């Protein structure tokens, strides 16, 4: 799932409120499931311009960066070594520096670890954090590697297959069942499913 949030919603709000709400929702759902059936999520946050054409999410550098850092090996290794963590978060370096390190101290910059994000031609610093569990010590034994998920948004419309561009949902509030996002945003069609409507139902 790809969510594009308008500038009126601060990065601090996205980082500080959305991941823990997702974590709480997952813990409620996963409590009824066997360990093998539990859902775990890797979440990437970056910041920048995106290109939206009528009802389609076309792309933009921010979407490419989010797709690159979402599946980086250091985050997968950390989650494999911490089975009690249902949400793993990775922030682009510029987001961590401006919104966490130099921003709101309640976002707990000490909870993050700096890593190198490498994917295709992308190689930049990034910062990872787990919700509900501490980051395992570097070099800790891994659990079974689930491998990367399906690729995220591409850099432009020319190499986006049909149905992968995204659908724009416009409304004042969108209810995701683990929190709300104010203003218009985009949900990518790469998700298996999503909940809610533009009117919060």
């Amino acid at each position: 799932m790809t969510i594009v949030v308008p500038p009126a919603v601060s990065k601090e709000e996205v980082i500080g409120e959305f991941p823990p709400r997702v974590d709480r929702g997952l813990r409620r759902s996963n409590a009824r499931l066997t360990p093998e059936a539990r859902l775990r999520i890797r979440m990437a946050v970056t910041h920048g311009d995106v290109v939206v054409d009528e009802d389609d999410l076309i792309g933009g550098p921010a979407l490419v960066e989010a797709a690159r850092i979402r599946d980086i090996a250091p985050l997968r290794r950390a989650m494999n070594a911490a089975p009690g963590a249902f949400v793993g978060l990775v922030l682009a370096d510029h987001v961590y520096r401006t919104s966490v390190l130099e921003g709101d101290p309640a976002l707990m910059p000490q909870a993050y670890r700096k890593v190198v994000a490498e994917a295709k031609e992308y190689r930049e610093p990034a910062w990872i954090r787990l919700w509900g569990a501490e980051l395992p010590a570097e070099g800790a034994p891994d659990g079974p590697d689930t491998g990367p998920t399906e690729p995220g948004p591409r850099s432009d419309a020319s190499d986006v297959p049909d149905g992968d561009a995204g659908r724009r949902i416009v409304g004042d509030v969108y209810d995701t069942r683990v929190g709300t996002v104010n203003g218009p945003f985009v949900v990518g069609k790469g998700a298996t499913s999503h909940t809610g409507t533009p009117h919060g139902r």
Side-chain angles (χ1 to χ4, degrees), residues 1-156:
M1 176 182 289
T2 300
I3 301 176
V4 176
V5 182
V9 181
S10 70
K11 297 190 294 294
E12 290 81 2
E13 183 178 356
V14 173
I15 298 166
E17 297 187 16
F18 192 61
R21 289 186 179 186
V22 173
D23 180 69
R24 289 195 296 271
L26 286 177
R27 290 187 183 280
R28 294 187 189 102
S29 299
N30 287 339
R32 302 186 296 270
L33 303 175
T34 63
E36 296 77 15
R38 289 172 182 165
L39 178 64
R40 306 173 78 205
I41 291 177
R42 291 189 296 273
M43 186 182 301
V45 177
T46 187
H47 172 259
D49 294 333
V50 297
V51 181
V52 178
D53 180 18
E54 295 183 354
D55 291 334
D56 289 334
L57 173 59
I58 303 301
L63 294 181
V64 175
E65 182 172 53
R68 296 291 183 262
I69 66 176
R70 181 197 62 203
D71 291 321
I72 58 173
L75 182 59
R76 286 190 279 116
R77 285 197 300 266
M79 294 192 74
N80 290 338
F86 296 143
V87 175
L89 176 66
V90 54
L91 304 181
D93 182 58
H94 58 94
V95 172
Y96 173 83
R97 286 187 286 102
T98 58
S99 298
V100 178
L101 185 62
E102 301 168 4
D104 186 351
L107 296 180
M108 299 177 60
Q110 69 276 11
Y112 291 82
R113 176 185 298 157
K114 187 177 184 179
V115 299
V116 176
E118 295 185 87
K120 297 186 177 179
E121 73 284 355
Y122 185 93
R123 191 177 192 278
E124 297 289 343
W127 297 81
I128 62 173
R129 176 183 177 180
L130 302 182
W131 250 264
E134 291 187 8
L135 280 167
E138 294 183 86
D142 290 351
D145 192 345
T146 56
T149 59
E150 291 299 313
R154 282 86 168 172
S155 58
D156 57 58

